[in-house]
Amino acid sequence: MIDIKTFFEQSEGKWFTQRTQYNLAQNKVENGQAELTVELLSLEDGAIADLYEQVARQLSDQTATDLSHGAGARISWDADSQKGSNLILLIADDTQQQQGKLIQKTISGDSIPTVGRFTLGEDEALTLSTTAQTNSIIKERLWFAHPNLRLRTVWQENETGHQGWVMFYSEIRRITS
């Protein structure tokens, strides 16, 4: 079974992404494309250390506090209408290395980090879960169909479990020679 560091290493690189979004409440479908870059960052990297420090007090009474069991990355995207970057830090629980804390932050202005959970299943699929400002839950599941083909689903649920929207991504690694 792989660990979170290995999953991040497999994700590193440049990806061509195709997205389909289904808005279930409005019965609408949207499609899009983007370039996605996943860059691994050392846990000692200044941006990752700063991200951790911003939420350290919030994590101090919980199990995920040992950064040696973590992985960090900068994820950047360039789509027709949008460009941006996120920092992401996953810290495995001390007792269960296949799950732990998710910390992410959009790299822009004064955005506030989001804290959630991750689980790396026996099927080697990574599931991320966060609570949005609207108290809805955002879940994201990523897995590899092939080393150069990654699939991803993202969905939003309200507090009663009803889904508002669902997205499906296929991501193809850009091969450079």
Side-chain angles (χ1 to χ4, degrees):
M1 177 164 320
I2 67 170
D3 62 8
I4 195 61
K5 289 179 184 180
T6 304
F7 190 93
F8 265 38
E9 289 167 358
Q10 292 174 346
S11 297
E12 187 172 30
K14 294 182 184 284
W15 299 82
F16 170 72
T17 300
Q18 293 186 13
R19 172 187 53 84
T20 301
Q21 179 175 353
Y22 301 94
N23 186 322
L24 303 173
Q26 298 175 359
N27 201 23
K28 287 174 47 177
V29 177
E30 295 179 18
N31 296 299
Q33 299 176 343
E35 296 291 327
L36 184 73
T37 303
V38 179
E39 173 190 0
L40 296 183
L41 298 176
S42 161
L43 296 174
E44 290 81 33
D45 183 276
I48 293 294
D50 183 53
L51 178 62
Y52 179 74
E53 287 302 316
Q54 290 179 45
V55 298
R57 286 188 202 112
Q58 189 176 347
L59 299 177
S60 63
D61 61 341
Q62 298 173 12
T63 58
T65 55
D66 184 0
L67 279 180
S68 67
H69 300 293
R74 179 179 295 112
I75 302 172
S76 305
W77 63 91
D78 184 355
D80 293 333
S81 60
Q82 219 178 19
K83 288 184 181 186
S85 285
N86 277 349
L87 284 177
I88 186 169
L89 172 61
L90 301 180
I91 308 167
D93 289 343
D94 295 335
T95 57
Q96 174 54 270
Q97 297 294 302
Q98 298 305 105
Q99 61 186 15
K101 291 290 178 203
L102 155 70
I103 306 166
Q104 63 183 359
K105 178 182 178 180
T106 301
I107 304 173
S108 64
D110 297 328
S111 68
I112 298 171
T114 303
V115 177
R117 298 278 307 159
F118 81 85
T119 303
L120 190 56
E122 290 182 19
D123 60 355
E124 299 184 351
L126 177 63
T127 303
L128 308 173
S129 180
T130 58
T131 302
Q133 293 176 341
T134 60
N135 286 331
S136 61
I137 297 170
I138 308 295
K139 292 189 178 180
E140 183 170 357
R141 186 169 166 84
L142 303 97
W143 68 97
F144 289 89
H146 183 275
N148 295 319
L149 174 61
R150 192 170 80 165
L151 303 173
R152 181 165 45 126
T153 56
V154 184
W155 65 97
Q156 175 261 344
E157 297 176 358
N158 65 20
E159 54 277 349
T160 62
H162 290 93
Q163 293 183 345
W165 51 261
V166 178
M167 291 187 272
F168 174 75
Y169 294 80
S170 61
E171 300 172 340
I172 302 167
R173 187 186 312 270
R174 297 279 191 193
I175 306 295
T176 57
S177 51

